[in-house]
């Protein structure tokens, strides 16, 4: 379906007040839509689940008269793209709302622990990361479509593979973000209530060490332990954490060997690297490769088998953070920016030189766990603050 090209109405105090009031009246509708998407499994690679979540969100947008494009991503599901035009024909560029529809949870998780509310907090798989942010973005875009007030066009984009590093959607994000003046990513607000104005990037490196099998009791000297060689590599890799400020390496998974009485012929591991925009990533990767390929024990050999990564989000320009802070103050809450080691798609847009602010979604905590929650009392004020920010940036 083609995106709408009809201009929105110019801003006015009455229109802004009406939009804020309308959002204040949508708490129940927001919660109802949130329950639907949380109770729909959409783990990364669950094509049908992601498509069902996309259909729920698309239906709400289309009911509000907003045209939506569905962008298939084979093997991952689909992305959503929607756009509300601005009222100023001379405005250059667009403002972009972002989110991801995939979660880290396998199919069946929603049935095991479905959406529930206790003491103002909602629980369920992906409720904070980041299905609440998706719902908030949908309602904010609907408010703009209903009442106007945005000088620049506002574009909404939901991806489908962020939790595994956006292997399919990275190029799509770069394509649709061209010309954006600012990006606001609705990852969950921190437990502190803050937004995120800087993020680390991440790399996952899978590697293996080959050794020589032998009987541990009869002829151990004829063997070469891949496990022993891997142990040397783990210590050496962890020591690289001190190589650059902001760099952190962690071997979080290992496996290997055949039996307790066999000198291990093979061992495998996964390395996680976290880094900032200021770090020299290429130099760090060269050091990692040297450690993995070094012959720590005679007749053992290490090699990298796979590498995937996400980009860091450079520090948000102060003007964008302050615009959000002023908008938040207008609706009654204080907020600041904070740094986090977790990666997100805002790193992709930041790497393009686009001012990016992250974690503007409803406040939540303990993502990727059974304790994950969303503070429902923050839904409306965070939506209102985002609306005012989009109007201010226009």
């Amino acid at each position: 379906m083609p995106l709408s090209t009809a201009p929105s109405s110019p801003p006015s105090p009455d229109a802004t007040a009406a939009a804020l009031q309308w959002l204040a009246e949508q708490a129940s509708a927001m919660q109802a839509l949130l329950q639907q998407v949380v109770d729909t499994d959409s783990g990364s690679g669950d094509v049908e689940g992601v498509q069902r979540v996309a259909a729920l969100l698309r239906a709400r947008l289309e009911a509000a008269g907003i045209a939506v494009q569905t962008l298939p991503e084979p093997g991952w599901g689909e992305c959503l793209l929607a756009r509300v035009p601005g009222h100023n024909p001379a405005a250059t560029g667009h403002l972009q709302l972002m989110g991801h529809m995939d979660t880290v949870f396998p199919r069946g998780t929603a049935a095991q622990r479905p959406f529930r509310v206790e003491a103002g907090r909602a629980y369920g798989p992906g409720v904070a990361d980041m299905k609440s942010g998706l719902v908030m973005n949908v309602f904010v875009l609907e408010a703009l479509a209903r009442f106007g007030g945005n000088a620049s066009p506002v574009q909404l984009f939901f991806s489908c593979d962020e939790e595994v590093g956006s292997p399919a959607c990275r190029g799509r994000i770069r394509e649709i973000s061209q010309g954006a003046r600012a990006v606001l990513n609705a990852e969950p607000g921190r437990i502190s209530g803050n937004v995120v104005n800087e993020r680390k990037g991440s790399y996952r490196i899978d590697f293996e060490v080959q050794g020589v099998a032998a009987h541990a009791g009869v002829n151990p000297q004829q063997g070469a332990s891949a496990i022993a060689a891997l142990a040397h590599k783990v210590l050496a890799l962890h020591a690289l954490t001190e190589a650059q400020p902001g760099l952190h390496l962690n071997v979080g998974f290992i496996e290997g060997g055949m039996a307790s009485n066999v000198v291990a012929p093979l061992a495998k591991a996964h390395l996680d690297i976290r880094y900032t925009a200021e770090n020299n990533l290429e130099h760090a990767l060269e050091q990692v490769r040297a450690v993995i390929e070094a012959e720590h024990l005679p007749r053992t050999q290490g090699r990298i088998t796979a590498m995937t990564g996400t980009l860091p989000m450079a520090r948000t320009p102060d003007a964008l953070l302050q615009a959000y802070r002023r908008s938040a103050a207008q609706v009654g809450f204080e907020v600041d920016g904070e740094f986090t080691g977790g990666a997100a798609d805002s790193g992709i847009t930041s790497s393009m030189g686009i001012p990016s602010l992250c974690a503007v979604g409803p406040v939540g905590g303990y993502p990727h766990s059974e304790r994950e929650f969303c503070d429902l009392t923050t839904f409306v004020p965070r939506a209102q603050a985002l609306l005012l920010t989009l109007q201010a940036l226009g």
Side-chain angles (χ1 to χ4, degrees), residues 30-40 115 135:
M30 290 177 180
Q31 181 174 321
L33 182 55
L34 179 61
Q35 179 169 356
Q36 287 183 291
V37 294
V38 169
D39 282 344
T40 304
F115 181 91
V135 172

Side-chain angles (χ1 to χ4, degrees), residues 207 228-243 247 249-251 271 284 287-294 296:
F207 66 98
L230 175 61
H232 285 279
K233 295 182 190 299
V234 170
L235 294 175
L237 290 169
H238 283 191
L240 292 177
T241 291
E242 306 299 326
L247 188 69
L249 290 84
N250 178 65
V251 177
L271 169 68
Q287 292 178 301
V288 166
R289 184 177 294 276
V291 169
I292 290 173
E293 295 180 352
H296 284 92

Side-chain angles (χ1 to χ4, degrees), residues 2-308:
L3 298 181
S4 174
T5 56
S8 68
S9 55
S12 72
D14 290 343
T16 297
L20 294 176
Q21 180 60 37
W22 180 82
L23 285 171
E25 296 167 353
Q26 301 308 306
S28 295
M30 290 177 180
Q31 181 174 321
L33 182 55
L34 179 61
Q35 179 169 356
Q36 287 183 291
V37 294
V38 169
D39 282 344
T40 304
D41 288 316
S42 59
S44 304
D46 183 349
V47 173
E48 293 180 356
V50 168
Q51 290 174 334
R52 286 193 293 269
V53 168
L56 290 168
L57 300 170
R58 184 175 65 244
R60 177 79 199 194
L61 291 166
E62 290 179 339
I66 301 170
V68 184
Q69 285 184 336
T70 299
L71 310 173
E73 290 291 352
W76 301 100
E78 61 194 27
C79 303
L80 291 184
L81 178 65
R83 188 179 179 96
V84 170
H87 65 75
N88 183 359
T92 58
H94 65 275
L95 304 174
Q96 187 160 299
L97 304 179
M98 284 183 32
H100 63 86
M101 296 180 288
D102 62 317
T103 74
V104 300
F105 301 103
R107 185 176 295 187
T109 306
Q112 293 171 0
R113 48 185 187 90
F115 181 91
R116 74 181 196 280
V117 177
E118 295 178 6
R121 287 183 171 185
Y123 296 86
V127 69
D129 187 14
M130 60 174 294
K131 292 186 173 181
S132 58
L134 299 176
V135 172
M136 182 196 72
N137 277 349
V138 164
F139 276 81
V140 169
L141 199 68
E142 181 176 345
L144 291 175
R146 287 173 174 269
F147 302 100
N150 53 301
S152 299
V154 176
Q155 183 167 279
L156 174 151
F157 178 76
F158 292 159
S159 67
C160 57
D161 62 350
E162 189 269 355
E163 292 292 4
V164 291
S166 305
C169 293
R170 182 173 303 195
R172 183 85 73 177
I173 291 171
R174 290 185 180 278
E175 177 186 349
I176 63 96
S177 301
Q178 291 291 336
R181 293 175 42 236
V183 167
L184 297 119
N185 194 23
E187 292 280 356
R190 306 294 92 176
I191 290 181
S192 63
N194 286 340
V195 293
V196 168
N197 63 340
E198 187 175 4
R199 285 184 177 273
K200 284 189 175 183
S202 68
Y203 247 84
R204 171 176 155 169
I205 298 180
D206 298 355
F207 66 98
E208 67 179 26
V209 182
Q210 292 182 332
V212 180
H215 194 292
V218 177
N219 57 345
Q221 68 280 358
Q222 294 182 10
S225 174
I227 289 177
L230 175 61
H232 285 279
K233 295 182 190 299
V234 170
L235 294 175
L237 290 169
H238 283 191
L240 292 177
T241 291
E242 306 299 326
Q244 299 180 40
L247 188 69
H248 189 272
L249 290 84
N250 178 65
V251 177
F253 172 85
I254 60 173
E255 65 178 1
M258 296 172 58
S260 61
N261 62 348
V262 178
V263 176
L266 182 67
K268 300 179 180 180
H270 299 166
L271 169 68
D272 180 87
I273 304 175
R274 300 288 162 152
Y275 67 103
T276 70
E278 287 72 38
N279 287 134
N280 185 337
L281 177 63
E282 292 305 316
H283 180 60
L285 292 177
E286 289 174 4
Q287 292 178 301
V288 166
R289 184 177 294 276
V291 169
I292 290 173
E293 295 180 352
E295 189 182 40
H296 284 92
L297 294 177
R299 295 180 295 146
T300 63
Q301 183 178 15
R303 71 182 186 95
I304 294 173
T305 56
M307 296 176 64
T308 57

